[in-house]
Amino acid sequence: FLPKLFVEPIGAMKLYLGSNVKIKATGSFGTVTQSNGHACKIRGVWFHQDEVEQLSCMGSGPYHARFQQTMLRVKDPKVSVPFYENNFGMKLIHWIDFPQWKFTVYFLERPREGQEVPSCTMQKTGLENERYLFSMSNATLELTHNHGTEMDDSYKVWNGNTGMDGDGLNYAEEPAFRGFGHVAFNCDDVYEACARLEAAGVKFQKKPDEGRMKGLAFALDPDGYWVEIVRREKLGWPEYYNLSQTMMRVKDGPASVEFYTKHLGMTLLRRMDKPEYGFSNFFLASLQPDELEAALSQDPENSHAAGFDATQPNGLTRVLWNTCLELTWNHGTEKDPNFKVHDGNAQPQGFGHIGFILEDLEAACEKMEAEGVVFKKKPKDGNMRNLAFAYDPNGYW
């Protein structure tokens, strides 16, 4: 968990890119995509600063939380960062170097077209980038580079999909059980997108017509992480891709959903049961009420005339810009005392954690602990202050 930083009275500050505001006249929420210091552009419309009210974040739930990052260790950022920029339209928005611990973290976002983002290069970042990172409403990929791995021929990350519970080429002697699965991007045409990626030299784990699941694909990034390519509805979006999912396997599906909805305010969008295959998928997102309403109105599969029911078929993940958390539950693991997902932080390492930004970090952590949430690190523990790591029911950070 990360705190919201740099919150000042709106009349006394520049309206920073990525700042979250409420439009007073309508009560709707939005994110600043352009600013001239006394007015800001929100959802394509300009508003004077007196017409909006600053929010500390676009969060939801008891602690005003927003899903903000998925951390992946990488071998060489000079390879991985351009891969996501060139192939998926992501932008490097900030990086933080920790020379005392010999690692650097790089944050990439897929912004909306026309959205101004503070300039950032591999050589230079700044305070405005940090303000943007900790007030944004979109989610990022956080690529973590442990210095020197780029020169180590033996270094290889664990992509999350090999283990003793894997089949065929996905079988490996360790870990005993898999955990993290993939990240995903949505696009209008999976077949066209994959042809473009293949022409650019991107390798694939699965092409759209391979396997039993037709019409979706898994590309491979430079470290071997799986990148799912999924079809969205054609809504006229100018962005070729949007960062749409992070998938994690869980021991107990319902218990995991309860954790993320109760403590982190996520909305369960869809429970998709596949009893014939012995698993269920749960899709959750951090949403403001108006974001959910807008998605419901565009759902191609369900009019929701009788109200929203996440157990009924819907196409919400295909019309949302927001990045979803996909939890995959293989039925029966909740009853197996020996089953424990691999969290990615013990060996073998790859995926590290997911992250949320919160309005009041210390107060939220105190309340969560009182409600039984266990912490790896509290905000004041250790050398890295103002962040915390909680354990979800599966042991993920």
Side-chain angles (χ1 to χ4, degrees), residues 28 64 104 119 128 136 147 172 274 337 345 381 394:
S28 62
H64 215 50
T104 304
S119 176
E128 190 169 354
M136 65 192 306
H147 302 167
K274 294 289 185 180
N345 293 301
D381 293 344
N394 309 282

Side-chain angles (χ1 to χ4, degrees), residues 185-199:
F185 289 86
N186 282 7
C187 62
D188 289 353
D189 187 327
V190 171
Y191 291 87
E192 179 189 83
C194 290
R196 290 173 56 158
L197 291 170
E198 190 169 21

